[in-house]
Amino acid sequence: MHGPASSGWLLVALCAVTGAYCLARMRSGAEGQRSAAGGEALMGFGMAAMAVPTAVYTPPAWAWPLYAAVFGAAGVHALWAARAGAHHLHHLVGAAAMVYMALVMAGSPAHGHGRGGSDVPLLTGALLLYFAGYVLVAGVRLVPVAAVAGGGGAAGWGDRPELARVCRLSMGIAMVAMLLTL
């Protein structure tokens, strides 16, 4: 992505840390939690790789189609997994957004809106609206409610739902930032 190098590195750090925590969540005892965490780890690390400032590293031309293929496969997996839960539809939209950004970057040597046409800004705008709405809803879900009395034993790092929500929120914010740089 293009833009100021300092904000690019902050985005790389945010996405990499989020991806690393999602890897830790994959050790959870709940199968559904592990599956979702795997997709979110892939998304976090993929976003971190795409956010590296171009002043430092410009990926080779073959990298963008590879990103598109990997996230296309992740989208197909999310579509298949959506049979079990609607949460995977968000993963499908995220994977589609990553494919879209990879295709825009592949078609634009200056890493911007080089393809022209009115459909590119429209799709970018629709994805921005979706992820901005997602960020707002995810932020509201983090507002604490009255604590449940006798909340059980201590949960492991991978089984803390509030931390999973924070990861999803941070990836949503990062997605908005990445879409704004297109």
Side-chain angles (χ1 to χ4, degrees):
M1 305 263 86
H2 66 91
S6 60
S7 61
W9 284 118
L10 289 172
L11 195 57
V12 169
L14 174 70
C15 293
V17 167
T18 300
Y21 177 72
C22 290
L23 281 179
R25 283 184 36 228
M26 288 182 69
R27 297 184 336 186
S28 171
E31 174 61 34
Q33 177 101 337
R34 286 193 307 266
S35 174
E40 290 165 359
L42 174 67
M43 185 69 67
F45 289 128
M47 290 171 68
M50 286 180 97
V52 172
T54 55
V56 175
Y57 174 72
T58 302
W62 55 264
W64 299 116
L66 179 65
Y67 282 137
V70 166
F71 286 103
V76 169
H77 181 268
L79 183 60
W80 182 258
R83 298 174 306 131
H87 170 71
H88 294 283
L89 291 175
H90 172 69
H91 290 177
L92 176 63
V93 174
M98 293 293 283
V99 169
Y100 169 68
M101 288 189 291
L103 292 175
V104 168
M105 298 301 277
S108 167
H111 302 300
H113 281 296
R115 298 188 346 156
S118 62
D119 59 330
V120 174
L122 181 63
L123 184 53
T124 302
L127 288 169
L128 277 168
L129 283 175
Y130 173 81
F131 283 104
Y134 181 82
V135 164
L136 292 174
V137 170
V140 167
R141 287 184 180 161
L142 283 175
V143 174
V145 293
V148 177
W157 281 101
D159 295 322
R160 306 219 17 209
E162 70 278 7
L163 291 178
R165 287 187 195 118
V166 168
C167 281
R168 292 182 191 118
L169 175 64
S170 64
M171 282 195 290
I173 292 169
M175 188 65 79
V176 169
M178 290 175 74
L179 285 165
L180 285 173
T181 64
L182 285 182

